Amino acid sequence: MTDTWRDAWTAALDELEMDVAEVETMLTDARRLAETPPSNMWQPPTDLGALPLELKPRADEILTRQLAAAQEIARRLTATRAQQAMTARIETGEASKRPVYLDCAM
């Protein structure tokens, strides 16, 4: 039973680690990020019980990578919002919504 329990946790961590690796790869390769559809979100297994102590360092390392990826995503979202705000202020030379005449009667 113990080996089955450990194997189940190892498989769950493998799946979670692959998910984190996919996000890290997309963050480093803009072309892949644009071309890759979102994957299915990882769902934690519900029937595993407590994490075996010998797998805790690996789980902690995966968590650290997840947090770093989330921080990078947040940083990029903030930069994108700032860039969009700047772009919105640039006049394109296309038809503007300003008045096209000046009333000099006053």
Side-chain angles (χ1 to χ4, degrees), residues 8-23:
W9 264 107
T10 300
L13 289 175
D14 288 344
E15 187 178 336
L16 183 58
E17 190 168 25
M18 286 188 314
D19 191 46
V20 173
E22 182 179 350
V23 170

Side-chain angles (χ1 to χ4, degrees), residues 64-81:
T64 300
R65 289 173 56 195
Q66 282 181 315
L67 293 173
Q71 186 175 20
E72 179 63 15
I73 290 169
R75 186 192 68 74
R76 289 188 186 194
L77 284 172
T78 301
T80 298
R81 282 190 205 115

